[in-house]
């Protein structure tokens, strides 16, 4: 087994485990949007009440994301990933065991507190195990599990509900998550010393190597650039996750079984688009372009596909699905590669913290967006929502080029200068 799981094979097996974890994390969070009409009837909710359920999860998610990043940098990806998966799996099971709104909202809040552990741990692992020539591809594959979870969620959840009940749609994925957590604990290991050397402050010891303190991070221009980018653009992906399935049923007239047949298409397109765009940026790196510039170029080109969302829905449900497929691919290309930008901009012992901070602000942007959707969608329609989503990614291209740059701690600059003088 140790021979089979040498470093070059083990790292891809680790990617597969993370992929599986993100599959079930997204199934767990996607259940609510798929069951929107059922839950609205079960708990006597309108769109404003549904937005409240979403925001219970999202507010906790936003608050815990920065804390999760700090925990990963402090205690390591292996431990935090394990306890995060265990906790959100139990919260999903709890959501299925209740029959009234208050305990349901409580378990959704616990889910929001636990799930942010996944992505800071994931990017820390990818940064340690993969060089810049493969980092974006490995990152996109590992987190593509999220969109694969969104792809399989509509037919899976529809099948479970039609066979059993809506309660089972929460319980069954939660049980599977418990098994996946044990596999992670059993197989994850740190890479051999010196396995990857092209990261800022590359080091295999969690407590060694140059890094910014938590307070110093807030003074870095790149951190604020990443925060603004996530705050502005993440609401697009959250809309697709939490509102698109209900939109297809309530506005496009699909039944639950019909949603199960076609509701997965935008999420599959998102996953394929995110992986393809990441591989494209990696190919630019292999051809000699600087890694950071390659990521920026790819994101800039992709951003200007977002206005496709303005194509009228009156052309039919097929056109609606196609335009959301393109927008979903844009959104995930940015989310996947923003993590890689962090890995190539900050020291390795800061990447989880930075991703946690940025992810928290991204979720905060989604909370605000969700609130206004819940308040005004019924009265003003979806046209204004689509107009806003059409311009968010193009607007952030300026921030991408103006604010994101390598951030090197003073201690490492001094050490490099001393080595140069010594030569």
């Amino acid at each position: 087994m140790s021979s089979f799981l040498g470093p070059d094979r083990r790292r891809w097996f680790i990617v597969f485990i993370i992929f599986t974890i993100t599959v079930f994390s997204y199934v767990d969070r996607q259940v609510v949007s798929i069951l929107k009409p059922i839950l609205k009837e079960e708990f006597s909710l309108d769109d404003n009440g549904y937005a409240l359920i979403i925001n219970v999860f999202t507010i906790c998610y936003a608050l815990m994301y920065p804390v999760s990043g700090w925990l990963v940098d402090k205690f390591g990806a292996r431990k935090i990933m394990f306890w995060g998966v265990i906790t959100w799996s139990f919260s999903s099971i709890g959501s299925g065991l209740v029959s009234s709104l208050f305990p349901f909202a409580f378990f959704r809040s616990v889910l929001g507190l636990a799930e942010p552990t996944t992505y800071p741990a994931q990017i820390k692992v990818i940064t340690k195990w993969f060089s810049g020539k493969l980092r974006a591809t490995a990152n996109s594959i590992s987190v593509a599990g999220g969109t694969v979870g969104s792809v399989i969620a509509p037919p899976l959840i529809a099948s479970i509900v039609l066979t059993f009940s809506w309660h089972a749609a929460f319980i069954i994925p939660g049980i599977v998550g418990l098994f996946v957590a044990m596999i992670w604990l059993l197989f994850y290991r740190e890479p051999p010393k010196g396995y990857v050397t092209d990261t800022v402050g590359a080091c295999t010891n969690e407590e060694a190597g140059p890094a910014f303190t938590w307070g110093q991070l807030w003074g870095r221009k790149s951190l604020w650039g990443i925060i603004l980018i996530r705050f502005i653009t993440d609401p697009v992906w959250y809309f697709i996750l939490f509102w698109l399935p209900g939109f297809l049923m309530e506005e496009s007239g699909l039944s639950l079984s019909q949603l199960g047949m076609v509701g997965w298409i935008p999420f599959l397109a998102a996953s394929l688009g995110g992986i393809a765009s990441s591989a494209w940026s990696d190919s630019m790196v292999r051809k000699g372009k600087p890694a950071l510039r390659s990521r920026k170029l790819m994101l800039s080109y992709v951003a200007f596909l977002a206005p496709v969302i303005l194509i009228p829905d009156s052309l039919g449900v097929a056109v609606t699905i196609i335009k959301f497929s393109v927008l979903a691919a844009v959104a995930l290309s940015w989310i996947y590669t923003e993590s890689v930008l962090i890995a190539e901009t900050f020291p390795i012992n800061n990447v989880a913290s930075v991703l946690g901070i940025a992810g928290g602000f991204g979720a905060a942007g989604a909370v605000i967006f969700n609130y206004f959707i819940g308040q005004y969608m019924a009265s003003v329609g979806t046209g204004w929502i689509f107009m806003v989503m059409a311009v968010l990614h193009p607007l952030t291209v300026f921030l991408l080029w103006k604010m994101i740059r390598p951030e090197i701690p003073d201690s490492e600059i001094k050490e490099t200068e001393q080595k140069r003088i010594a030569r």
Side-chain angles (χ1 to χ4, degrees):
M1 176 65 74
S2 60
S3 175
F4 173 75
L5 288 181
D8 289 345
R9 288 178 175 173
R10 181 179 291 274
R11 64 178 181 173
W12 289 108
F13 189 69
I14 290 169
V15 166
F16 173 74
I17 298 173
I18 297 173
F19 173 89
T20 306
I21 288 172
T22 57
V23 165
F24 285 97
S25 74
Y26 262 71
V27 170
D28 286 347
R29 73 175 69 177
Q30 194 74 358
V31 175
V32 168
S33 62
I34 294 169
L35 300 184
K36 178 185 175 185
I38 294 174
L39 295 176
K40 285 173 68 176
E41 181 178 352
E42 180 77 17
F43 300 129
S44 301
L45 302 172
D46 56 12
D47 278 336
N48 193 33
Y50 174 73
L52 181 62
I53 287 182
I54 293 176
N55 276 346
V56 166
F57 167 85
T58 312
I59 290 171
C60 291
Y61 193 81
L63 293 174
M64 193 61 185
Y65 222 139
V67 178
S68 297
W70 178 84
L71 289 171
V72 170
D73 280 333
K74 180 70 174 178
F75 298 106
R78 183 172 181 263
K79 291 180 181 178
I80 302 305
M81 179 77 89
F82 172 74
W83 286 111
V85 176
I86 288 289
T87 304
W88 57 248
S89 295
F90 275 119
S91 71
S92 181
I93 294 170
S95 298
L97 294 176
V98 302
S99 56
S100 58
L101 181 59
F102 180 78
F104 181 82
F106 168 77
F107 281 113
R108 296 308 291 179
S109 69
V110 174
L111 187 75
L113 292 173
E115 284 203 343
T117 57
T118 302
Y119 292 102
Q122 172 268 329
I123 192 58
K124 187 70 169 277
V125 169
I126 295 300
T127 306
K128 284 189 168 189
W129 275 96
F130 291 88
S131 70
K133 294 180 180 180
L134 281 173
R135 188 172 295 132
T137 301
N139 177 74
S140 65
I141 292 173
S142 64
V143 297
T147 45
V148 172
S150 299
V151 167
I152 68 173
L156 175 65
I157 299 307
S159 175
I160 292 174
V161 172
L162 294 173
T163 303
F164 303 104
S165 69
W166 71 263
H167 300 276
F170 292 93
I171 295 171
I172 293 173
I175 292 173
V176 175
L178 297 177
F179 285 101
V180 176
M182 299 307 300
I183 294 173
W184 167 262
L185 190 66
L186 180 63
F187 284 99
Y188 182 75
R189 298 292 183 273
E190 294 294 318
K193 185 176 181 179
Y195 190 69
V196 172
T197 59
D198 70 340
T199 57
V200 179
C203 182
T204 60
N205 187 332
E206 291 286 341
E207 298 179 353
F212 296 105
T213 65
W214 180 268
Q216 289 171 338
L217 281 175
W218 294 94
R220 313 315 301 177
K221 186 176 183 180
S222 293
L223 175 65
W224 286 103
I226 291 168
I227 284 173
L228 289 172
I229 289 171
R230 291 293 299 262
F231 183 81
I232 294 170
T233 60
D234 274 22
V236 175
W237 179 240
Y238 280 85
F239 178 90
I240 293 169
L241 279 180
F242 293 130
W243 293 92
L244 179 59
F247 175 82
L248 291 174
M249 286 189 284
E250 295 175 344
E251 301 295 330
S252 298
L254 298 183
S255 66
L256 180 60
S257 60
Q258 289 171 330
L259 179 70
M261 290 187 286
V262 300
W264 53 269
I265 295 174
F267 299 102
L268 177 62
S271 184
L272 295 177
I275 294 173
S277 61
S278 298
W280 177 26
S281 70
D282 274 348
S283 71
M284 286 190 274
V285 177
R286 289 193 293 271
K287 291 176 182 178
K289 278 190 173 65
L292 197 56
R293 180 175 176 81
S294 298
R295 317 306 181 198
K296 290 181 178 181
L297 283 171
M298 182 275 289
L299 292 175
S300 299
Y301 291 132
V302 168
F304 289 97
L305 295 174
V308 71
I309 191 63
L310 298 178
I311 296 174
D313 290 306
S314 58
L315 295 177
V317 67
V319 173
T320 299
I321 290 174
I322 290 171
K323 75 175 187 179
F324 271 108
S325 296
V326 174
L327 184 66
V330 172
L332 269 201
S333 294
W334 274 69
I335 289 175
Y336 286 178
T337 301
E338 283 158 2
S339 300
V340 180
L341 288 175
I342 292 170
E344 293 171 348
T345 302
F346 286 89
I348 193 171
N349 286 329
N350 289 130
V351 293
S353 294
V354 174
L355 181 62
I357 293 168
F361 275 89
V367 169
I368 296 170
F369 201 53
N370 283 334
Y371 172 79
F372 282 105
I373 292 172
Q375 289 289 314
Y376 300 112
M377 183 165 68
S379 58
V380 301
T382 57
W384 71 272
I385 300 173
F386 295 168
M387 290 179 64
V388 171
M389 291 195 295
V391 301
L392 294 181
H393 285 89
L395 284 177
T396 54
V397 170
F398 172 78
L399 298 175
L400 176 70
W401 287 93
K402 188 69 175 178
M403 300 185 72
I404 308 301
R405 64 189 182 190
E407 301 285 359
I408 303 174
D410 292 340
S411 59
E412 185 170 355
I413 295 175
K414 292 178 181 177
E415 183 180 344
T416 302
E417 182 65 18
Q418 288 172 355
K419 289 180 180 180
R420 188 187 65 80
I421 294 173
R423 292 195 187 103

